[in-house]
Amino acid sequence: MLSFIYYIREFLRPKWITTFFTARTPPLTTPPYFRDFPELTDKECTHCLACMMICPAPEAIIVTQHEGVWRPEITKGHCIRCGLCIEACPEDVLASGRILAYKKEEELTLQGTFHIEINQSTCMGCGNCSVACPVNREIDPALRSSGTSTSDEVIMRIDTGQNKVLHEEKCTGCKTCEDNCSNKAIRVARVVEALQGGEE
Amino acid sequence: MSMLQYLKNTVRSRSIHVAYVNVGSCNGCDIEILACLSPRYDIEQYGIYVHNNPREADVLLITGAFSSQWEDKLKPLWDKIPHPKVAVAIGNCPISGCVFNRPETLVDPPVSKHIPIAAEIPGCPPRPTEIISTILSLAPIIFKDYEETKK
């Protein structure tokens, strides 16, 4: 009997009633270390496009010019918040969560090279890629519609009806060749190397 | 405002029923929806219930980049939901297709081409906090005074 009275008294306490009916988990705040969409710092963007090169999601980051100042723009709905653009940026233009802190601590740098792959069974040897390549044009301005070249310094050239890659390391990853290939036979792949502890 | 309308508003603000549909997602966003049910986030304290039955749903959460098998299925599913109803796109995939939206893939984003989308939550995946706060901020806009504003 005494316990009944005790329970009734316990459950009629205003504090117990209010906590029972208005129970809430603690306010849902985003922790400061959360890797959110990258935000701009006040550092100056040098238009090196390292962020666009590293970005795994299509159309997620684009470097645009506003009143003479270059700056990267993140598109929400495309960005997957992986933070690679922050790691890749040599000028620390972007920031998010703890990425800049550990990038500095570990002296993290990303280096990218490009690998050109040509599917020889679909390549017609038309030479569109060799002619369209802006680096090729710079090295050998005489490169003409057939894609053949007398220069050995070009990235790729048509040789005996097949496209041959000579200097892969000169590729800048613009993918103009991919856009100009009618058979989608050429693919440019990015090969990224992460270095810790400064230059080896 | 009539007394009945006031009662309806009160009840609807504490009773939001949710169905979710995966139209070709990688399951990442589905796991984040699942995390909303966990004690850490606990959506039921806000009066949000997951039944996963379109006939009694108010909010339809859509994840995924819309694979071709859903062409003839998503619209009938949307029509089954009684009014007032609202569709929320969760994650990047229903918005843009994100990493799946490449040449020669079979996805057909955005989902807003197929059914009307009221809110989009970007992120790959979005945080459970973002999902809960979106539903909670959207619900009063859609459900409050529905009978008076629908005309």
Side-chain angles (χ1 to χ4, degrees):
Chain A
M1 188 63 206
L2 203 67
S3 63
F4 268 114
I5 295 166
Y6 173 81
Y7 276 120
I8 289 166
R9 216 190 61 180
E10 182 67 21
F11 291 149
L12 285 179
R13 275 191 305 132
K15 195 181 172 217
W16 190 91
I17 293 170
T18 48
T19 46
F20 183 78
F21 284 108
T22 60
R24 283 277 185 273
T25 48
L28 298 170
T29 51
T30 306
Y33 50 83
F34 175 57
R35 196 176 60 200
D36 209 338
F37 292 108
E39 283 168 357
L40 287 172
T41 57
D42 48 2
K43 304 268 176 53
E44 198 181 337
C45 174
T46 56
H47 190 224
C48 71
L49 304 181
C51 47
M52 282 177 74
M53 291 298 169
I54 201 87
C55 184
E59 300 165 45
I61 187 164
I62 188 163
V63 181
T64 50
Q65 197 173 27
H66 287 276
E67 293 157 4
V69 182
W70 290 99
R71 65 159 180 252
E73 268 177 24
I74 310 284
T75 316
K76 285 186 181 181
H78 291 259
C79 175
I80 63 168
R81 301 196 273 209
C82 64
L84 279 174
C85 50
I86 302 161
E87 291 179 357
C89 181
E91 307 291 327
D92 295 348
V93 175
L94 294 161
S96 166
R98 288 187 292 211
I99 294 176
L100 275 188
Y102 76 68
K103 183 182 162 188
K104 200 176 172 187
E105 186 190 321
E106 296 175 356
E107 296 175 51
L108 184 71
T109 47
L110 295 182
Q111 275 184 355
T113 52
F114 294 92
H115 175 64
I116 303 167
E117 195 181 311
I118 294 164
N119 186 347
Q120 295 292 3
S121 57
T122 48
C123 175
M124 305 185 296
C126 65
N128 276 0
C129 50
S130 304
V131 178
C133 178
V135 182
N136 262 7
R137 296 293 296 177
E138 210 168 278
I139 296 167
D140 183 12
L143 203 76
R144 277 176 303 171
S145 59
S146 60
T148 52
S149 171
T150 50
S151 169
D152 286 337
E153 298 300 309
V154 291
I155 294 180
M156 56 196 164
R157 67 177 186 193
I158 303 296
D159 191 6
T160 60
Q162 283 283 339
N163 197 355
K164 298 268 165 62
V165 180
L166 300 175
H167 290 280
E168 209 170 61
E169 71 280 358
K170 287 181 184 169
C171 178
T172 56
C174 66
K175 302 198 175 185
T176 313
C177 48
E178 275 189 19
D179 295 339
N180 283 283
C181 184
S182 50
N183 273 6
K184 298 192 176 81
I186 188 165
R187 294 295 295 268
V188 178
R190 176 185 58 217
V191 184
V192 175
E193 221 178 350
L195 298 175
Q196 283 185 337
E199 297 296 317
E200 302 279 322
Chain B
M1 198 198 327
S2 66
M3 193 64 203
L4 182 67
Q5 189 64 57
Y6 175 78
L7 198 67
K8 281 181 177 176
N9 286 349
T10 314
V11 170
R12 277 181 186 151
S13 70
R14 292 286 298 165
S15 162
I16 303 162
H17 291 244
V18 166
Y20 54 85
V21 61
N22 178 339
V23 291
S25 152
C26 70
N27 277 346
C29 296
D30 303 78
I31 290 168
E32 297 301 309
I33 296 170
L34 201 67
C36 297
L37 291 160
S38 68
R40 178 82 172 80
Y41 298 99
D42 196 11
I43 45 173
E44 297 207 347
Q45 72 183 338
Y46 303 103
I48 306 173
Y49 305 95
V50 177
H51 287 300
N52 229 1
N53 177 359
R55 295 277 187 204
E56 55 180 323
D58 301 310
V59 178
L60 182 69
L61 306 179
I62 297 164
T63 62
F66 206 87
S67 58
S68 49
Q69 286 91 339
W70 280 90
E71 291 280 343
D72 54 340
K73 297 185 185 75
L74 189 63
K75 190 73 173 69
L77 192 146
W78 172 245
D79 293 336
K80 275 177 192 165
I81 302 176
H83 285 281
K85 61 186 173 184
V86 65
V88 179
I90 291 195
N92 282 349
C93 288
I95 303 171
S96 67
C98 196
V99 290
F100 300 116
N101 192 6
R102 303 213 185 250
E104 296 173 49
T105 52
L106 289 170
V107 296
D108 186 24
V111 172
S112 51
K113 278 196 291 194
H114 305 276
I115 60 168
I117 297 284
E120 293 170 336
I121 313 173
C124 186
R127 284 171 63 80
T129 320
E130 292 169 340
I131 299 173
I132 295 172
S133 61
T134 305
I135 297 172
L136 286 176
S137 59
L138 196 66
I141 302 169
I142 306 295
F143 303 127
K144 193 166 184 280
D145 300 331
Y146 168 72
E147 279 79 5
E148 290 177 9
T149 52
K150 74 175 172 183
K151 275 133 202 169

